[in-house]
Amino acid sequence: MHPLGLLQDTPPGRNAVWAGIALLSMLVWLGLEQLSAQLWFLPAGLRLALLWLVPTRRWGWLGAAEIAAQATKSMVLGYPLFSMTFVGVCIAPWVIYAAVVFVARGPQPGLALDTPTRMLGFLLAGLVGAAGVSPLLWMFLVTVPMNAVDSLASMFAFMYGDMIGQLVLAPVLVALAHGRMKPRRLAFWRDMGVVLVGAVGIFLLLQAYDDLAMYVLLLAFAPLFFLGFRHGWEGAALGTLVLGAVIQALVQGGLLSVSVTMLQLVLAVVGAGALVLGAASTALRHSHEVLAQRHQELATKNDELGALAEELRHVTQRLVRIEEQGQRELASELDYELGHAIHALGTRISLAFRDVRDEQGTRFLESLREQVREIQDSLRRALRQLRPPMLDSHGLRHAIDNGPLREMLEDGNIVFEPRFTGPVDQLDDDARTAAYRICQAAVREAVRLDTVRRVALDLEVTPREGGGQAVSLNLDIEFSPYARALPPLQPLPAIFDRVLAEKGRYQLEPLVHGQRHAIRFDAT
């Protein structure tokens, strides 16, 4: 099972598992206590990490483990267990840390330190805990009379020991629990080697020239920022641990004569800064990964939408072709059925004039023949609206300039001003039909409105180098300047469907006293 799953196992029961965790924690605490020295107090890091990772309801096991470890140490050294010193040194520090962590993160276990805010909260909890424990340790462990300055210095020494123990151990333990300490890549170890070589070189230089400490000591710790920036807070945590171990080894070997307090202070400041910078770098890296994933998802959705739009265009194009074919067949059937019948009726009425001798019968036949002529004219107009024959016989230019569109506008006392540019009549059947139907929709809209006084049409066809033509069609509908209310600027569904079928663009542009329907599409 994952370590984090064990530590955050909140359901009731499972006491045997937690007893084992408490026993392991006690043994680790005793081992870390043996490794502690003047530079650091490592159990403070273990205490902070476990309190941060474990839910509040399981803290009793952590407290029991640390108190048992303290009791074991006291019995080995011959210290009494039932005394105020044992309570103040061995029990109260854990209680203070627990209270601080509870205030910092609440009853639920803390999350991974992947943001600067979480990292700052984690480090601040450790700092406040160390600051709260140091007066207790000074009160019970320091028995030599001291003045105020020496007392403060002693308290700060206890606090620095806890802080360094937290910095070098707690972030590494949190990273291990969250599974962030996977085998590092070669680039990390190369950077770590450069950092260590530089730090050891500076420490050896200070051993030979200790007067340079105030000038170059910070340079030995500054590369931790580099590790945090390149490898996140996990890299900064591991670098702080390794660099702290190197410093401890040099101090114990007598190869570093710099004051331990100065080393603690610089390591605390630089280590905390590197961890916060690493958390910010990790957060930025995660945000970039999430953004890249969102971009990939968006690209996939765009491809799907593009495929659906293409399919919709094909469907619309097929529907338009079916509609045109239906209109052609309907016009042909109406012309064949009704046209011939009406023509035969007119012929019979003309023949009936020979058999009628009275004036009343003649007037009646004249009225019938006039009605037949009106019916023929209406049928001819209807057939030309369905599919004007001149569009197939004379071309698009003639069908627009001299066909039913002009007749409709002239009947409505609307000025029609067409203009053609380029090889208009060389368009294929689909593009020619689309252009005509678009013009027809605009003309119908102009006739329907009472305030229109002029319709200007500008059709331009431009051949392309790679083949095909670019069709540009501007339809300007101009209203009377005396109109009190102008119609709203709205796209026409008939034009929109035709433009969609041709994979074109349809834009509406307001004019001073009118509106422009601008259409662009490509023809093969």
Side-chain angles (χ1 to χ4, degrees):
M1 189 175 182
H2 197 275
L4 190 64
L6 285 175
L7 294 176
Q8 297 182 357
D9 186 19
T10 56
R14 304 180 66 87
N15 293 330
V17 175
W18 276 98
I21 295 175
L23 178 61
L24 179 61
S25 175
M26 181 188 73
L27 296 177
V28 173
W29 192 98
L30 292 173
L32 292 175
E33 201 277 336
Q34 293 299 313
L35 297 176
S36 299
Q38 185 180 2
L39 179 66
W40 53 28
F41 182 67
L42 295 177
L46 177 65
R47 180 191 302 156
L48 177 62
L50 290 177
L51 288 173
W52 186 266
L53 293 171
V54 176
T56 306
R57 61 176 299 170
R58 300 295 187 182
W59 277 3
W61 292 101
L62 302 182
E66 181 161 339
I67 294 173
Q70 293 275 18
T72 302
K73 173 188 172 183
S74 299
M75 288 188 296
V76 171
L77 297 178
Y79 297 143
L81 298 181
F82 302 100
S83 64
M84 290 301 299
T85 301
F86 183 81
V87 174
V89 175
C90 302
I91 299 178
W94 185 90
V95 175
I96 293 174
Y97 269 67
V100 172
V101 172
F102 182 81
V103 173
R105 52 133 248 212
Q108 298 301 321
L111 301 175
L113 309 176
D114 290 336
T115 63
T117 303
R118 295 178 191 167
M119 181 61 75
L120 285 172
F122 180 74
L123 297 177
L124 185 61
L127 174 62
V128 174
V133 168
S134 59
L136 280 176
L137 298 179
W138 173 84
M139 183 186 303
F140 288 100
L141 297 180
V142 178
T143 58
V144 179
M146 294 182 180
N147 56 30
V149 175
D150 292 337
S151 299
L152 288 176
S154 180
M155 292 181 190
F156 275 106
F158 284 117
M159 185 179 72
Y160 288 158
D162 274 23
M163 287 176 55
I164 299 303
Q166 298 166 10
L167 283 175
V168 300
L169 188 60
V172 174
L173 294 178
V174 173
L176 286 172
H178 283 276
R180 300 298 181 83
M181 285 298 179
K182 298 178 181 178
R184 315 297 293 184
R185 293 180 296 180
L186 180 61
F188 171 77
W189 296 113
R190 183 182 64 246
D191 295 341
M192 177 69 76
V194 172
V195 170
L196 292 180
V197 169
V200 171
I202 293 176
F203 290 147
L204 295 179
L205 177 65
L206 293 177
Q207 178 65 18
Y209 306 99
D210 55 353
D211 295 337
L212 296 177
M214 62 182 301
Y215 300 104
V216 299
L217 181 61
L218 187 61
L219 298 178
F221 298 91
L224 289 177
F225 290 110
F226 173 72
L227 286 178
F229 178 76
R230 286 205 59 183
H231 304 284
W233 68 272
E234 303 92 341
L238 196 55
T240 304
L241 174 62
V242 174
L243 186 58
V246 170
I247 295 173
Q248 179 63 29
L250 293 176
V251 171
Q252 287 185 349
L255 299 178
L256 190 58
S257 58
V258 181
S259 170
V260 174
T261 302
M262 182 177 294
L263 291 173
Q264 289 176 325
L265 183 60
V266 177
L267 181 59
V269 174
V270 177
L275 288 171
V276 174
L277 178 62
S281 178
T282 300
L284 182 62
R285 191 178 298 112
H286 286 176
S287 66
H288 285 175
E289 293 174 356
V290 171
L291 185 61
Q293 183 180 1
R294 293 292 183 270
H295 285 172
Q296 183 65 30
E297 294 175 357
L298 183 60
T300 303
K301 294 299 182 182
N302 285 339
D303 293 340
E304 294 177 358
L305 289 176
L308 291 176
E310 187 67 21
E311 184 178 355
L312 179 61
R313 291 190 186 100
H314 287 308
V315 171
T316 305
Q317 198 169 31
R318 287 195 295 269
L319 290 177
V320 166
R321 289 176 179 174
I322 292 173
E323 180 184 0
E324 287 296 327
Q325 183 63 27
Q327 289 183 356
R328 287 180 180 178
E329 295 177 357
L330 179 61
S332 176
E333 291 293 331
L334 288 177
D335 183 46
Y336 180 78
E337 298 291 341
L338 293 180
H340 286 70
I342 294 174
H343 181 72
L345 179 61
T347 302
R348 293 191 179 190
I349 292 175
S350 299
L351 293 175
F353 272 101
R354 300 176 181 179
D355 301 330
V356 176
R357 297 288 184 263
D358 58 323
E359 182 178 357
Q360 184 177 1
T362 302
R363 285 198 303 269
F364 177 72
L365 291 177
E366 284 288 346
S367 64
L368 287 179
R369 185 166 60 181
E370 185 64 26
Q371 290 181 0
V372 168
R373 288 175 181 173
E374 292 179 359
I375 293 175
Q376 286 179 329
D377 185 62
S378 299
L379 179 62
R380 185 176 65 255
R381 287 176 177 268
L383 294 177
R384 293 176 69 181
Q385 290 292 333
L386 288 174
R387 181 71 183 185
M390 64 179 63
L391 182 61
D392 298 321
S393 59
H394 294 81
L396 179 61
R397 181 195 296 264
H398 186 78
I400 293 177
D401 197 8
N402 300 292
L405 303 184
R406 179 179 288 277
E407 293 178 3
M408 291 174 61
L409 293 174
E410 289 178 351
D411 291 343
N413 295 322
I414 299 174
V415 178
F416 184 45
E417 298 178 358
R419 188 170 71 90
F420 305 94
T421 306
V424 175
D425 292 330
Q426 293 182 8
L427 294 175
D428 63 341
D429 184 64
D430 289 338
R432 182 171 63 249
T433 302
Y436 182 82
R437 293 304 183 188
I438 290 172
C439 298
Q440 186 181 51
V443 168
R444 286 177 176 174
E445 178 68 12
V447 172
R448 184 183 68 85
L449 301 174
D450 297 332
T451 58
V452 177
R453 72 169 188 175
R454 187 176 74 93
V455 173
L457 182 149
D458 185 5
L459 177 59
E460 180 179 358
V461 178
T462 305
R464 294 186 180 274
E465 295 182 358
Q469 298 103 355
V471 180
S472 173
L473 177 59
N474 292 328
L475 293 164
D476 295 346
I477 300 178
E478 183 179 334
F479 303 106
S480 172
Y482 304 104
R484 295 183 178 181
L486 299 180
L489 193 66
Q490 294 180 349
L492 300 180
I495 296 180
F496 182 81
D497 293 340
R498 293 288 177 170
V499 174
L500 179 63
E502 296 297 326
K503 305 178 184 179
R505 299 193 310 274
Y506 176 27
Q507 294 180 341
L508 282 176
E509 302 174 4
L511 302 176
V512 177
H513 290 289
Q515 52 186 233
R516 170 173 293 175
H517 299 260
I519 297 94
R520 307 288 184 272
F521 63 90
D522 294 330
T524 58

